[in-house]
């Protein structure tokens, strides 16, 4: 249930050069109503785009310092669009974003991933990078489709459907989506529960086996341990590194 007293925050994922700001112009102009007050936060490292930056409301910059987000949005904003650094690891930024949003008094509305299909088709190695982004996303917008084979597009979407990804996939045409208001509707459709306010819990017995919360132990007194479900993209190995490592997207831009 959304708290109407809190600003709604949209996390915008995608590689640099994916047309994220162009799409934000469309989403904000046609997806918000007159009484809404939008604001856009861009990473300090993102290159300026005079054409689209001028069309976006209340544009500010945030900084990445020691894997922490430094920045604040305008106090009067009701809808904040936080654009990640498209040259950095998205999982690191998502982890920091979760900690940062409450400090601003906001509430996550949706996570939107913009896919540069030209980039993804050209570099198959980036599929793992996009898998991570889609894992955390409610909506996936397929952009930059000029010259991309229809079969590749179909195979790309089918790949995620076979993984039972619940996210909404939509084709972008001429920098626009069919229904901006529907894209911005604050309804969770993501596979990951990491960004949810209420976490799923895992219950294990004394031997470390996962059990159902309602399952009774043989003697009824066996110690049961409960802990929050750990997202597979946030699991660390013994050396403190991510078990699921992503390609460095900056090398492909």
């Amino acid at each position: 249930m959304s708290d109407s007293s809190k600003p709604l925050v949209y996390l915008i994922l995608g590689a640099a050069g994916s047309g994220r700001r162009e799409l934000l112009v469309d989403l904000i102009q046609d997806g918000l109503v007159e009484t809404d007050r939008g604001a856009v936060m861009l990473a300090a490292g993102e290159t300026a785009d005079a054409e689209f930056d001028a069309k976006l409301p209340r544009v500010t910059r945030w900084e990445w310092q020691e894997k922490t987000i430094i920045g604040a949005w305008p106090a009067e904003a009701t809808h904040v669009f936080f654009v990640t650094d498209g040259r950095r690891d998205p999982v690191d930024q998502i982890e920091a974003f979760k900690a940062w949003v409450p400090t601003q008094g906001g509430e996550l509305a949706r996570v939107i991933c913009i896919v540069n299909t030209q980039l993804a088709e050209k570099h198959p190695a980036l599929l793992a990078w996009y898998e991570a982004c889609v894992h955390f996303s409610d909506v996936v917008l397929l952009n930059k489709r000029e010259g991309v084979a229809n079969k590749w597009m179909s195979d790309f979407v089918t790949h995620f459907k076979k993984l039972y990804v619940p996210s909404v996939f939509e084709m972008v045409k001429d920098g626009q989506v069919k229904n901006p208001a529907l894209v911005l509707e604050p309804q969770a459709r993501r596979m990951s529960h990491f960004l949810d306010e209420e976490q799923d819990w895992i219950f294990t017995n004394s031997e470390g086996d996962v059990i159902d919360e309602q399952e009774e132990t043989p003697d009824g007194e066996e110690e049961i341990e409960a802990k929050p479900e750990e997202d597979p993209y946030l699991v660390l190995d013994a050396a403190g590194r991510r078990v699921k490592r992503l390609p460095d997207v900056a090398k492909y831009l």
Side-chain angles (χ1 to χ4, degrees):
M1 183 68 69
S2 174
D3 183 347
S4 60
S5 66
K6 294 183 178 181
L8 293 177
V9 189
Y10 295 85
L11 178 62
I12 312 300
L13 304 176
S18 298
R20 290 180 294 173
R21 275 173 272 183
E22 178 183 9
L23 276 170
L24 280 182
V25 171
D26 176 51
L27 292 175
I28 293 171
Q29 290 183 351
D30 294 335
L32 301 185
V33 299
E34 290 186 6
T35 54
D36 293 332
R37 299 183 300 276
V40 177
M41 297 189 69
L42 302 174
E46 289 285 333
T47 304
D49 188 322
E51 178 183 0
F52 296 113
D53 287 356
K55 298 177 182 179
L56 293 172
R58 300 176 179 84
V59 177
T60 58
R61 295 276 180 165
W62 64 271
E63 295 186 0
W64 184 248
Q65 295 181 7
E66 298 181 353
K67 293 190 176 183
T68 301
I69 293 169
I70 306 297
W73 62 63
E76 71 278 9
T78 61
H79 294 70
V80 179
F81 297 83
F82 185 96
V83 184
T84 58
D85 187 329
R87 294 177 178 275
R88 293 185 183 275
D89 187 301
V91 177
D92 287 344
Q93 295 179 78
I94 289 168
E95 185 174 32
F97 175 83
K98 179 181 180 179
W100 174 78
V101 169
T103 69
Q104 300 298 304
E107 178 182 3
L108 177 64
R110 263 189 164 175
V111 182
I112 302 173
C113 174
I114 314 299
V115 178
N116 182 341
T117 57
Q118 295 173 350
L119 180 71
E121 181 189 38
K122 183 178 180 180
H123 301 290
L126 285 179
L127 178 61
W129 192 87
Y130 278 112
E131 284 177 338
C133 292
V134 171
H135 175 76
F136 291 97
S137 298
D138 304 296
V139 181
V140 181
L141 301 178
L142 303 173
N143 199 23
K144 304 281 187 180
R145 296 190 295 119
E146 298 80 10
V148 177
N150 289 334
K151 184 181 186 307
W152 182 92
M153 200 84 62
S154 176
D155 290 346
F156 183 82
V157 175
T158 299
H159 170 76
F160 290 101
K161 295 302 182 183
K162 288 182 177 179
L163 296 176
Y164 300 102
V165 172
S167 312
V168 175
F169 284 76
E170 182 173 332
M171 304 288 183
V172 176
K173 184 177 181 180
D174 299 327
Q176 298 181 324
V177 298
K178 293 179 181 178
N179 190 334
L182 192 60
V183 171
L184 297 182
E185 181 182 354
Q187 178 186 30
R189 292 290 302 266
R190 52 190 174 269
M191 180 168 284
S192 173
H193 298 292
F194 174 69
L195 292 168
D196 297 350
E197 289 188 4
E198 296 184 5
Q199 295 289 293
D200 283 350
W201 290 76
I202 300 295
F203 298 87
T204 57
N205 59 24
S206 58
E207 297 179 353
D209 299 322
V210 176
I211 63 173
D212 186 271
E213 180 182 4
Q214 305 300 324
E215 182 179 335
E216 293 187 5
T217 57
D219 58 10
E221 298 181 355
E222 182 178 0
E223 183 176 349
I224 303 299
E225 180 182 0
K227 59 182 179 180
E229 179 183 22
E230 188 170 16
D231 191 282
Y233 280 95
L234 296 171
V235 176
L236 303 178
D237 61 20
R241 298 172 298 186
R242 305 274 191 210
V243 172
K244 294 178 75 70
R245 301 181 193 178
L246 305 185
D248 182 357
V249 69
K251 295 180 178 180
Y252 299 90
L253 300 176

